[in-house]
């Protein structure tokens, strides 16, 4: 079985009749091959591109997130308070639509445009798309009402800028332009639950939630329960102590599982669990992933014979372990789509036999 999400931009494997099912209980955004933001409808997969290089990234998979920043494209709305700042909704946005984004022009030094949000204490992450219209002075962003101002890099092109995550209640978010008469364009201001940014979520009068992406199948006619090899190319935004999954074969629980994942702190691994006990963890390949950077992992399984290699690195092996009984393939998540990837799956290949270690190393290069 071979699925090339990045090239084919569909859910169909090239050499089988397998049909992956995709659902998402909301719309979701992605960048097309021109670098323009598009909106996918409910239950429509998103095949994303890098908006700067236009490189095809593959199938986007994100956890559910809520943007609580209101009118995040129209900063002329009363939800925003401007001080020594002229605000207009007069900019062509990242979706290519005229007058869909806003401009901020300082009418004195340190002009601000802020929005106060009533919210219980939680980890928050702040981002926005900005570009410079005039001037060369410093532009700052805040999520704590200016108790902390962080300078962001603003260029002549739309760039997504972020500031470090904070855990706080009642965030007040927005911008300060330090130099009088400097001006910037602003689009998709986003304050979301979490410690890193996800795909843009539009808001108007109320907070908006993008639902979890779910991609799976219970058709395992291609799968060999006794031995096999997976080769997966994937990237994640979430490099932390928590594992995230590029894909997992499960029985609907975490007790029976074969998964390829970033297994915490950037370590890619193939994990095998049977009867709730870990049988293999072949993450010792000397390779560490970085956020938003693709890695290719080739992992093989057979009773008492597990191995994995990432990016052509040293083979990690485990010579003791049994195999689980699985019923479902989840792409971008684990059982019930837990531990979501928060990134992209470029391709997924499966061989119904345990390939030699040297072949694993070559396939992951």
């Amino acid at each position: 079985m071979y699925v090339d999400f990045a090239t084919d931009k569909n859910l169909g494997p090239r050499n089988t009749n397998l049909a992956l099912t995709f659902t998402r209980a909301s719309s979701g955004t992605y960048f097309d091959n021109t670098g323009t933001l598009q909106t996918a409808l409910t239950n429509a997969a998103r095949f994303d591109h890098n908006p700067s290089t236009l490189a095809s990234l593959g199938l986007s998979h994100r956890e559910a997130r809520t943007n609580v920043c209101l009118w995040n494209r129209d900063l002329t709305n009363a939800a925003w308070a401007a001080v020594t700042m002229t605000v207009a909704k007069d900019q062509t946005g990242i979706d290519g639509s005229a007058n869909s984004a806003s401009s901020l022009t300082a009418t004195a030094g340190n002009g601000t445009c802020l929005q106060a949000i009533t919210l219980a204490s939680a980890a928050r992450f702040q981002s926005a798309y900005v570009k410079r219209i005039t001037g060369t002075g410093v532009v700052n962003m805040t999520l704590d009402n200016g108790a902390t101002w962080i300078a962001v890099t603003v260029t002549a092109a739309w760039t997504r800028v972020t500031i470090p995550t904070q855990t706080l209640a009642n965030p007040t978010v927005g911008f300060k332009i330090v130099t009088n008469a400097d001006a910037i364009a602003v689009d998709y201001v986003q304050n979301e639950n979490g410690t890193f940014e996800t795909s843009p979520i539009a808001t108007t009068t109320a907070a908006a939630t993008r639902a979890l992406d779910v991609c799976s199948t219970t058709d395992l006619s291609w799968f060999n329960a006794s031995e096999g090899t997976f080769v997966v190319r994937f990237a994640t935004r979430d490099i932390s102590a928590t594992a995230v999954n590029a894909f997992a074969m499960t029985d609907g629980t975490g007790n029976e599982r074969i998964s390829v994942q970033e297994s915490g702190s950037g370590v890619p691994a193939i994990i095998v669990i049977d009867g709730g006990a870990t049988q293999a963890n072949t993450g010792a390949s000397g390779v560490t992933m970085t956020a938003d950077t693709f890695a290719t992992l080739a992992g093989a399984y057979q009773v008492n014979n597990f191995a994995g290699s990432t990016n052509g690195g040293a083979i990690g092996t485990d010579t003791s372990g049994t195999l689980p009984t699985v019923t479902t393939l989840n792409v971008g998540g684990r059982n019930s789509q837990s531990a979501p990837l928060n990134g992209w799956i470029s391709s997924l290949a499966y061989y119904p036999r345990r390939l030699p270690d040297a072949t694993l190393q070559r396939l992951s290069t």
Side-chain angles (χ1 to χ4, degrees), residues 6 25 65 74 125 144 237 246 263 293 312 314 325 338 357:
R65 286 287 184 92
D74 182 4
F125 198 87
D144 60 8
R237 184 70 184 89
S263 59
T293 301
T325 300
S338 61
D357 290 357

Side-chain angles (χ1 to χ4, degrees), residues 292-318:
D292 298 330
T293 301
F294 279 91
T296 303
L297 188 150
Y301 64 91
Q302 192 177 41
V303 171
N304 299 328
N305 188 7
F306 305 92
S309 174
T310 303
N311 294 344
I315 294 287
T317 61
D318 192 317

Side-chain angles (χ1 to χ4, degrees), residues 196-286:
F196 54 89
E197 75 275 22
T198 62
S199 54
I201 303 169
T203 64
T204 53
T205 60
T209 298
R210 182 200 59 252
L212 170 70
D213 293 308
V214 178
C215 185
S216 64
T217 183
T218 56
D219 175 6
L220 302 189
S221 57
W222 48 273
F223 180 68
N224 182 353
S226 300
E227 62 174 303
T229 301
F230 288 98
V231 184
V232 189
R233 181 168 173 76
F234 67 103
T236 178
R237 184 70 184 89
D238 186 8
I239 300 295
S240 65
T242 303
V244 297
N245 287 255
F247 87 93
M249 307 287 305
T250 80
D251 68 341
T253 75
N255 295 327
E256 303 286 312
R257 173 161 54 97
I258 302 173
S259 61
V260 167
Q261 60 187 59
E262 182 275 309
S263 59
S265 302
V267 178
I270 179 169
I271 307 293
V272 180
I273 296 177
D274 184 28
T278 299
Q279 305 297 315
N281 181 342
T282 63
S285 61

Side-chain angles (χ1 to χ4, degrees), residues 24-102:
R24 185 186 56 253
S26 72
S27 62
T29 57
Y30 67 98
F31 286 96
D32 68 15
N33 60 3
T34 69
T36 303
L37 190 76
Q38 303 290 346
T39 298
L41 299 179
T42 298
N43 296 330
R46 297 176 289 167
F47 298 96
D48 212 356
H49 294 76
N50 183 308
S52 299
T53 67
L54 307 184
S56 181
L57 302 174
L59 177 67
S60 178
H61 193 285
R62 297 294 189 278
E63 66 188 17
R65 286 287 184 92
T66 298
N67 183 8
V68 297
C69 185
L70 307 184
W71 297 99
N72 70 327
R73 307 190 71 193
D74 182 4
L75 278 65
T76 68
N77 188 271
W80 294 91
V83 177
T84 58
M85 186 87 78
T86 298
V87 186
K89 190 182 180 188
D90 58 358
Q91 297 295 302
T92 298
I94 59 174
D95 61 353
S97 298
N99 302 319
S100 62
S102 300

Side-chain angles (χ1 to χ4, degrees), residues 166-186:
Q166 290 178 254
T167 297
L168 74 173
N170 303 323
T172 293
V173 306
F175 304 89
K176 178 169 69 174
I177 299 178
V178 172
T179 304
N180 182 28
D182 276 11
I184 62 172
V186 179

